[in-house]
C-alpha cells in the first residue's frame, strides 16, 4: 500500500513486512527517511527533524554544500555539492556536469506498468508511485517509480529521464536505485568467481571509499552478478536485518555501497557509468532498468525466499514457469563437435528408453565446417554432412519417437570464417582502424545496427519454423570489446553497450511472441549472464559449464542466494569429469542436478550397465519432486562451502504438507557421529513421516510406504532430523518428510 501525507510531505510504501519512507524537505528535496521492518501508524513527521535535513525554512545559500553532501536524498546528483556516489550525472551542451533535482509532484497508480524495451516485474495486486523531480536549469525531468505488491516484501524501483529543456543533454550515468541509510555495521555479500566456478558468495565489510561489485564486460560475466545484499553486523541465515539489491538487467552494472564521512551509508545499483553515455535531444527520454529492493528482518534465508517467490511470481513470464520442465539430454559433453545424425539418434534411443523427454543438439550442427570452436557462427542453417536429409527430418524422427527436440544458437557472435562475415563485414562491432579482438575465435555482432537485428530474427525464426524445434539454448561465449559501430553517429557511440542488451531483449521478445510454445534457456559460457533480466524471457538459465557435483554444490549455493532453484539449469555430467578430473559417484551427481531443471550431459549410450539401470529411477524420482523444486520454499541447512564436508538443501511445500532434504556428504568425517539437520517450513502441529533414501534407493520413494519415523513438525524443526554417519565420500541421500 502507498500513501502520501500532503501535510507532512511524507510518502509511505508498505509491503507485508516492511515500510519505505521518503519526505519532501524544504518543499524541494526528496529525502530518504526509512527502510526496514513495518512501521505502524502515521505519526512519522518527527523523522523530518533529522539535523542533516535541517537548514530550513530554506536551504542556506551560503552553506548549501553542507546540506547537499549530508542530506539522505532519494536520488543523488552530481556536480552540485553531493560528493557521495551519484545516481545521475547530466552534462549540458558545453559538457559541464551539474544537476539538482527538485520535487515537482507525484502520482499513485493502481497496478504495475511495464518498462518500454526492458524486462520488468508485473502483478495485478500492485500499486505504483511515480515522483517527478526536475533540474530547473537543464530541464531534465527524472521520474522515480516505486511499485509495491500485496504478496511480497520486494519493491520494484526504476527511473525515467526526459529532456524537457531546449538543448541537448548527455546522461553519463542514470542508475536504477539509490538508498541512503544509517550504518548498521553492514557487510556486503556479492557473487564472484570465474568460468566453471561462478556465483561464489563473498562477504566484505562495508567501509569508507566504497565496496563494489561490477561488470564492464557487456554481460554480467562469470566474475560478478548484478546483485548484492547488505547484512547488518549481527545478521545470519535466520536473524537480523538484511537488504537485497537485484538489477533486472543483463549488461554492464555497478553495485556500490559507500560509507560516508558522517558514518552513513549510500548504496547504489544500476547500469555501469563506464562505457555508458546517452544523448538526449529535446523531448527524448531514457529508461533505466528496474531494480528490486528487498528487506528481511529475519535473516538471509527469508530474503532469498522472498526473491525466489518474487522472481517466480512477478518476473518469469514463461508458461513453463509452472509446468513440468522436460528432462533433457544434451550432446555437448557427450560428443562435443564429433557427431552426426546417426550418433544423435543412438543417444535419442537410449534417452527414450530411460524416460528422458528431450534431446538437445548443442554446438556444431550448423554452417559448412563447424567442427571446432572456430568458424560458422552466424550461418544458422544445418550442416548437410551431419544431417544428410536435413534437420527438419531429424526433428521429425525425434518427435516420432516421442521426444522433444532442442537446438543451440549463439546469435550475438560472428566467426571471421563465416558466410555472414563475407557478406556483411560491417556488421562486426569494431573501433575505427583497429582489428577487432577475437575471443574463442569469434567477434561480436553490432546489434545497434537494425540490419543485424532483423537478420537474426529472420534466421532464427526460419530455423524454428522449418524444423519445429521445441527448445532453444541461447548461448553467448565472450565479452564485448571494440565497442564501436558504423551504424551510429559519433555522439551516440557511448550507447552501444546498452543498445546491445536492448537488442538481445527485443530479439528474444519477438521470437517468444511468434513461437509462444518455445522453451528458451539462456546461457553464456555457463553462468555469465545468469540474471533477473534474462529470467523475464527464459524460465531457466544454464548455471555453469562445470558439472562436477562438488563444484556445483558451491555454484548452486551462491546462485540460490537470490535466484529460484527452478531456474538453475543443471545436468548430470561424466566421471572422471573433464574440467576437474574428479571421480564422483553417479547418485551424488544426480542428486546435485535434481536441485535444478535436471538433465544428462554425458554419453548415455556408453555408461556402465549399473548406471544406465539407475537413470529411469532418477528420472521418476525427479518428476515426483519436481513440483517442490519448482514451487517450494528453499532452506539452506548446511553449506559445504562453510563446513568443508556436508551440503544440505531443503525444499518445503508452501502448504507444509511435505519437504525434502537433498544431502551430499562430500567428504567423509573420520570418527564422526550422527548429526542433525534442522528443517524449516513445516507445520509445528502436524505429524510427518521421515524417510531417508540412500544411494541405490532413490527410486523407491512411494507414498504408501510406512517405514521411517513419525514425528511432529515442531520437534523436527527444533530437535532436528537425525542422519547416521556414513564412511564414504560423495555420499548422497534424500530425506523425504511427508505429512501422515
Ligand atoms: C558454452 C556453453 C556450453 C556449450 C558450449 C558449446 O561453453 O556454456 O554449455 O553449449 O558453449 O560451444
Amino acid at each position: 500500500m502507498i500513501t502520501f501525507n500532503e501535510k507532512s510531505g511524507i510518502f509511505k510504501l508498505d509491503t507485508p513486512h516492511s515500510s519505505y519512507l521518503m519526505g519532501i524537505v524544504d518543499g524541494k528535496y526528496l529525502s530518504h527517511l526509512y527502510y526496514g521492518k513495518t512501521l505502524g501508524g502515521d505519526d512519522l513527521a518527527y523523522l523530518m527533524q533529522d539535523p542533516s535535513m535541517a537548514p530550513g525554512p530554506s536551504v542556506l545559500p551560503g552553506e548549501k554544500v553542507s546540506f547537499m553532501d549530508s542530506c539522505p536524498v532519494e536520488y543523488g546528483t552530481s556536480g552540485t555539492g553531493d560528493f557521495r556516489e551519484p545516481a545521475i550525472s547530466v552534462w549540458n551542451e558545453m559538457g559541464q556536469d551539474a544537476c539538482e533535482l527538485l520535487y515537482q509532484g507525484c502520482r499513485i497508480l493502481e497496478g504495475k506498468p511495464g518498462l518500454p524495451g526492458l524486462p520488468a516485474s508485473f502483478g495485478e495486486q500492485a500499486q505504483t508511485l511515480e515522483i517527478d523531480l526536475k533540474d530547473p536549469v537543464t530541464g531534465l525531468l527524472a521520474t522515480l517509480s516505486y511499485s509495491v505488491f500485496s504478496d511480497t516484501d520486494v519493491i520494484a524501483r526504476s527511473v525515467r529521464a526526459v529532456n524537457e529543456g531546449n538543448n541537448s543533454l548527455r546522461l553519463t550515468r542514470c542508475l536504477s536505485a539509490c538508498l541512503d541509510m544509517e550504518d548498521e555495521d553492514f557487510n556486503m555479500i556479492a557473487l564472484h568467481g570465474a568460468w566453471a566456478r561462478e556465483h561464489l558468495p563473498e562477504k566484505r565489510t562495508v567501509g569508507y571509499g566504497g565496496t563494489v561489485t561490477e561488470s564492464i564486460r557487456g554481460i554480467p560475466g562469470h566474475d560478478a552478478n548484478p546483485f548484492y545484499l547488505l547484512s547488518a553486523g549481527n545478521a545470519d541465515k535466520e536473524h537480523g536485518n538484511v537488504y537485497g539489491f537485484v538489477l533486472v538487467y543483463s549488461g554492464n552494472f555497478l553495485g556500490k555501497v559507500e560509507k560516508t564521512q558522517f558514518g552513513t551509508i549510500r548504496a547504489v545499483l544500476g547500469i555501469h557509468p563506464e562505457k555508458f553515455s546517452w544523448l538526449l535531444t529535446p523531448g527524448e527520454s531514457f529508461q533505466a532498468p528496474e531494480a528490486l529492493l528487498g528487506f528481511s528482518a529475519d535473516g538471509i534465508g527469508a530474503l532469498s525466499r522472498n526473491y525466489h517467490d518474487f522472481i517466480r511470481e512477478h518476473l518469469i513470464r514463461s508458461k513453463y514457469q509452472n509446468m513440468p520442465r522436460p528432462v533433457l539430454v544434451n550432446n555437448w559433453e557427450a560428443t562435443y563437435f564429433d557427431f552426426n545424425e546417426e550418433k544423435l539418434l543412438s543417444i535419442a534411443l537410449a534417452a527414450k528408453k530411460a524416460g528422458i523427454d528431450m534431446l538437445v543438439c548443442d554446438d556444431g550442427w550448423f554452417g559448412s565446417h563447424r567442427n571446432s570452436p572456430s568458424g560458422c557462427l552466424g550461418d544458422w542453417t544445418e550442416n548437410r554432412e551431419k544431417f544428410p536429409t536435413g534437420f527438419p527430418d531429424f526433428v521429425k524422427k525425434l518427435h516420432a519417437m516421442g521426444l522433444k527436440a532442442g537446438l543451440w544458437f549463439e546469435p550475438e557472435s560472428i566467426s571471421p570464417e563465416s558466410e555472414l562475415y563475407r557478406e556483411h563485414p560491417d556488421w562486426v562491432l569494431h573501433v575505427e582502424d583497429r582489428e577487432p579482438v577475437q575471443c574463442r575465435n569469434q567477434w561480436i555482432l553490432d546489434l545497434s545496427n537494425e540490419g543485424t537485428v532483423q537478420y537474426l530474427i529472420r534466421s532464427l525464426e526460419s530455423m524454428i519454423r522449418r524444423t519445429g524445434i521445441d527448445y532453444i539454448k541461447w548461448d553467448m561465449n565472450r565479452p564485448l570489446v571494440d565497442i564501436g559501430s558504423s551504424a551510429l553517429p559519433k555522439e551516440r557511440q557511448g550507447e552501444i553497450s546498452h543498445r546491445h542488451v536492448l537488442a538481445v531483449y527485443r530479439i528474444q521478445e519477438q521470437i517468444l511472441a511468434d513461437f509462444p510454445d518455445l522453451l528458451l534457456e539462456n546461457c553464456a559460457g555457463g553462468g555469465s549472464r545468469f540474471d533477473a533480466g534474462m529470467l523475464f524471457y527464459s524460465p531457466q538459465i544454464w548455471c555453469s559449464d562445470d558439472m562436477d557435483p562438488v563444484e556445483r554444490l558451491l555454484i548452486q549455493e551462491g546462485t540460490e542466494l537470490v535466484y529460484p532453484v527452478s531456474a538453475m539449469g543443471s545436468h548430470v555430467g561424466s566421471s572422471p569429469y573433464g574440467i576437474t578430473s574428479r571421480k564422483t559417484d553417479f547418485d551424488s551427481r544426480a542428486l546435485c542436478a535434481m536441485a535444478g531443471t535436471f538433465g544428462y550431459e554425458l554419453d548415455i549410450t556408453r555408461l556402465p550397465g549399473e548406471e544406465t539401470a539407475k537413470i529411469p529411477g532418477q528420472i521418476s524420482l525427479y518428476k515426483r519432486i519436481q513440483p517442490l523444486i519448482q514451487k517450494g520454499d528453499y532452506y539452506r541447512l548446511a553449506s559445504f562451502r562453510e563446513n568443508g564436508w556436508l551440503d544440505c538443501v531443503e525444499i518445503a511445500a508452501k502448504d507444509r504438507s511435505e519437504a525434502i532434504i537433498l544431502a551430499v556428504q562430500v567428504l567423509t568425517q573420520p570418527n564422526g557421529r550422527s548429526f542433525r539437520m534442522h528443517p524449516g517450513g513445516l507445520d509445528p502441529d502436524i505429524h510427518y513421516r521421515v524417510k531417508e533414501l540412500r544411494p541405490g534407493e532413490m527410486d523407491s520413494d512411494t507414498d504408501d510406504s510406512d517405514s521411517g519415523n513419525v514425528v511432529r513438525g515442531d520437534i523436527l524443526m527444533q530437535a532436528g532430523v537425525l542422519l547416521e554417519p556414513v564412511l564414504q565420500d560423495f555420499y548422497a541421500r534424500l530425506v523425504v518428510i511427508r505429512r501422515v
Side-chain angles (χ1 to χ4, degrees):
M1 205 187 52
I2 299 175
T3 54
F4 176 48
N5 182 328
E6 291 201 27
K7 195 159 149 255
S8 62
I10 291 182
F11 297 93
K12 186 163 183 274
L13 284 64
D14 285 307
T15 74
H17 307 98
S18 72
S19 297
Y20 188 108
L21 267 70
M22 298 167 272
I24 304 163
V25 172
D26 204 26
K28 291 195 281 198
Y29 299 97
L30 185 65
S31 175
H32 183 79
L33 301 181
Y34 173 86
Y35 186 26
K37 206 168 175 169
T38 299
L39 301 179
D42 54 6
D43 44 352
L44 301 163
Y46 80 97
L47 285 169
M48 305 270 279
Q49 291 157 14
D50 183 329
S52 54
M53 307 173 203
S58 62
V59 175
L60 298 172
E63 277 310 332
K64 192 164 166 182
V65 166
S66 313
F67 169 79
M68 296 299 275
D69 201 23
S70 62
C71 180
V73 289
E74 193 52 31
Y75 197 62
T77 56
S78 144
T80 49
D82 184 346
F83 293 98
R84 295 162 292 182
E85 188 71 25
I88 190 165
S89 302
V90 188
W91 292 8
N92 64 16
E93 269 197 320
M94 295 283 288
Q96 297 156 335
D97 175 3
C99 176
E100 184 181 25
L101 291 175
L102 306 181
Y103 178 75
Q104 297 291 296
C106 72
R107 298 166 289 285
I108 297 176
L109 319 169
E110 291 307 315
K112 165 67 175 64
L115 302 184
L118 283 163
S121 59
F122 50 83
E124 278 166 19
Q125 302 296 313
Q127 274 189 317
T128 300
L129 167 66
E130 291 182 348
I131 303 178
D132 292 332
L133 308 175
K134 192 164 181 175
D135 178 24
V137 178
T138 59
L140 184 94
L141 175 77
T143 301
L144 312 188
S145 157
Y146 302 80
S147 299
V148 295
F149 304 78
S150 61
D151 61 344
T152 167
D153 289 315
V154 172
I155 297 175
R157 251 185 100 162
S158 64
V159 178
R160 202 163 88 97
V162 187
N163 181 355
E164 291 195 341
N166 299 321
N167 299 310
S168 285
L169 302 173
R170 183 178 294 277
L171 289 175
T172 56
R173 72 163 66 199
C174 186
L175 303 187
S176 301
C178 171
L179 192 59
D180 282 359
M181 292 191 286
E182 298 301 311
D183 189 12
E184 292 184 51
D185 232 353
F186 280 122
N187 295 297
M188 175 196 255
I189 300 179
L191 302 177
H192 298 282
W195 174 77
R197 48 186 169 83
E198 297 92 336
H199 306 159
L200 308 179
E202 191 198 35
K203 185 173 181 176
R204 283 171 287 166
T205 305
V206 170
Y208 294 106
T211 310
V212 173
T213 180
E214 64 186 335
S215 167
I216 51 163
R217 293 173 185 274
I219 50 178
H222 298 99
D223 56 333
N225 190 273
F227 149 78
Y228 63 90
L229 63 80
L230 292 179
S231 63
N234 60 353
D236 60 21
K237 254 180 347 188
E238 285 157 18
H239 311 95
N241 286 349
V242 188
Y243 296 84
F245 301 79
V246 173
L247 193 63
V248 187
Y249 190 62
S250 314
N252 296 336
F253 72 92
L254 172 70
K256 181 166 179 182
V257 188
E258 178 189 8
K259 190 163 172 173
T260 72
Q261 59 182 325
F262 302 111
T264 56
I265 292 293
R266 171 164 294 176
V268 298
L269 181 66
I271 294 180
H272 207 301
E274 192 149 323
K275 312 267 183 284
F276 171 86
S277 75
W278 201 273
L279 180 70
L280 289 180
T281 59
E284 281 189 327
S285 64
F286 176 81
Q287 176 65 58
E290 191 162 285
L292 307 175
L293 266 51
F295 170 75
S296 150
D298 302 312
I300 296 170
L303 188 85
S304 299
R305 286 188 289 281
N306 285 347
Y307 276 126
H308 292 188
D309 285 346
F310 187 85
I311 290 171
R312 290 184 298 202
E313 299 302 322
H314 297 289
L315 195 63
I316 297 180
R317 295 171 302 169
S318 167
K319 67 174 197 179
Y320 292 100
Q321 160 58 22
N322 289 317
M323 281 166 64
R325 310 276 173 84
V327 171
L328 64 85
V329 59
N330 178 308
N331 77 307
W332 176 240
E333 293 202 1
T335 65
Y336 294 104
F337 293 98
D338 184 17
F339 67 89
N340 56 20
E341 174 172 330
E342 200 187 334
K343 175 67 196 166
L344 294 187
L345 283 175
S346 72
I347 295 178
L349 206 65
K352 183 62 198 166
K353 255 199 200 149
I356 290 172
D357 303 309
M358 176 160 75
L359 181 132
V360 176
C361 177
D362 210 279
D363 194 351
W365 60 267
F366 53 91
S368 54
H369 59 281
R370 180 78 177 173
N371 295 314
S372 74
S374 61
C376 304
L377 288 172
D379 302 343
W380 299 116
T381 47
E382 72 269 31
N383 180 314
R384 290 301 281 237
E385 274 170 37
K386 293 184 182 173
F387 298 95
T389 55
F391 206 82
D393 195 44
F394 172 62
V395 172
K396 262 195 212 128
K397 290 176 195 161
L398 295 181
H399 284 166
M401 290 165 73
L403 285 175
K404 290 179 185 297
L407 257 191
W408 177 97
F409 289 87
E410 189 175 347
E412 297 149 77
S413 289
I414 175 166
S415 303
E417 298 273 310
S418 64
E419 288 301 318
L420 186 64
Y421 179 59
R422 271 187 282 281
E423 279 169 34
H424 297 285
D426 55 322
W427 282 5
V428 176
L429 212 54
H430 69 283
V431 169
E432 285 305 302
D433 300 329
R434 287 185 177 277
E435 166 81 6
V437 177
Q438 291 186 30
C439 176
R440 213 188 190 220
N441 310 300
Q442 64 206 50
W443 293 317
I444 293 290
L445 279 173
D446 175 8
L447 298 191
S448 49
N449 184 331
E450 188 58 22
T452 319
V453 171
Q454 289 309 322
Y455 167 77
L456 288 178
I457 294 175
R458 259 196 332 272
S459 50
L460 266 72
E461 292 209 340
S462 136
M463 204 58 200
I464 302 169
R465 201 168 284 118
R466 272 181 62 225
T467 60
I469 45 172
D470 309 284
Y471 160 108
I472 281 186
K473 176 177 171 187
W474 176 305
D475 205 345
M476 164 58 160
N477 276 304
R478 56 157 297 172
L480 269 59
V481 291
D482 302 296
I483 319 268
S485 164
S486 45
L488 290 177
K490 70 171 190 281
E491 60 278 13
R492 294 208 178 267
Q493 296 289 316
E495 302 176 5
I496 294 170
S497 300
H498 182 55
R499 283 178 184 268
H500 184 95
V501 181
L502 292 178
V504 170
Y505 291 153
R506 185 148 65 92
I507 299 167
Q508 295 200 354
E509 179 78 37
Q510 182 72 52
I511 289 173
L512 290 167
D514 292 341
F515 299 94
D517 294 334
L518 189 79
L519 172 59
L520 177 65
E521 175 157 356
N522 271 291
C523 167
S528 84
R529 199 161 58 185
F530 199 120
D531 61 68
M534 295 322 279
L535 287 171
F536 187 66
Y537 303 93
S538 63
Q540 57 197 63
I541 302 178
W542 184 229
C543 192
S544 172
D545 280 348
D546 195 340
M547 283 173 275
D548 176 320
V550 180
E551 303 300 315
R552 266 294 177 138
L553 290 174
L554 303 171
I555 295 165
Q556 291 181 182
E557 177 183 353
T559 312
E560 288 155 356
L561 206 49
V562 58
Y563 304 108
V565 178
S566 57
M568 293 192 303
S570 47
H571 301 163
V572 180
S574 54
S575 170
Y577 188 61
I579 293 174
T580 57
S581 291
R582 190 177 282 130
K583 289 187 187 157
T584 52
D585 154 90
F586 198 51
D587 290 296
S588 53
R589 274 178 276 148
L591 200 73
C592 184
M594 283 185 201
T597 57
F598 201 61
Y600 293 83
E601 194 163 329
L602 72 178
D603 191 344
I604 53 170
T605 64
R606 292 187 178 182
L607 291 179
E610 75 270 15
E611 291 187 357
T612 310
K614 281 182 174 181
I615 297 182
Q618 290 172 347
I619 294 174
S620 70
L621 173 64
Y622 179 70
K623 291 202 166 170
R624 210 196 63 68
I625 65 173
Q626 198 179 27
L628 277 178
I629 299 287
Q630 283 187 230
K631 297 178 193 149
D633 283 336
Y634 159 85
Y635 292 84
R636 168 134 309 262
L637 307 190
S639 156
F640 164 60
R641 185 175 59 86
E642 285 169 9
N643 62 34
W645 69 289
L646 174 74
D647 202 86
C648 255
V649 166
E650 180 205 354
I651 314 280
K654 292 238 174 249
D655 68 1
R656 300 177 175 224
S657 61
E658 190 180 9
I660 48 170
I661 298 175
L662 300 107
V664 180
Q665 175 172 293
V666 179
L667 294 175
T668 198
Q669 276 234 306
N671 194 18
R673 57 182 192 89
S674 63
F675 51 91
R676 293 158 198 244
M677 290 293 111
H678 295 265
L682 303 181
D683 184 331
D685 299 321
I686 66 172
H687 283 81
Y688 295 88
R689 185 180 303 283
V690 183
K691 208 176 135 189
E692 183 182 320
L693 304 179
R694 298 182 167 213
E697 300 172 347
M698 295 286 178
D699 54 346
S700 65
D701 173 38
T702 48
D703 286 340
D704 40 82
S705 153
D706 59 0
S707 61
N709 292 319
V710 173
V711 188
R712 223 176 45 202
D714 58 342
I715 298 178
L716 285 173
M717 290 192 286
Q718 284 163 35
V721 173
L722 208 59
L723 295 182
E724 290 301 316
V726 176
L727 291 177
Q728 195 182 313
D729 292 345
F730 312 123
Y731 186 83
R733 43 189 148 181
L734 180 82
V735 180
V736 181
I737 303 172
R738 195 174 294 135
R739 178 189 191 136
V740 286

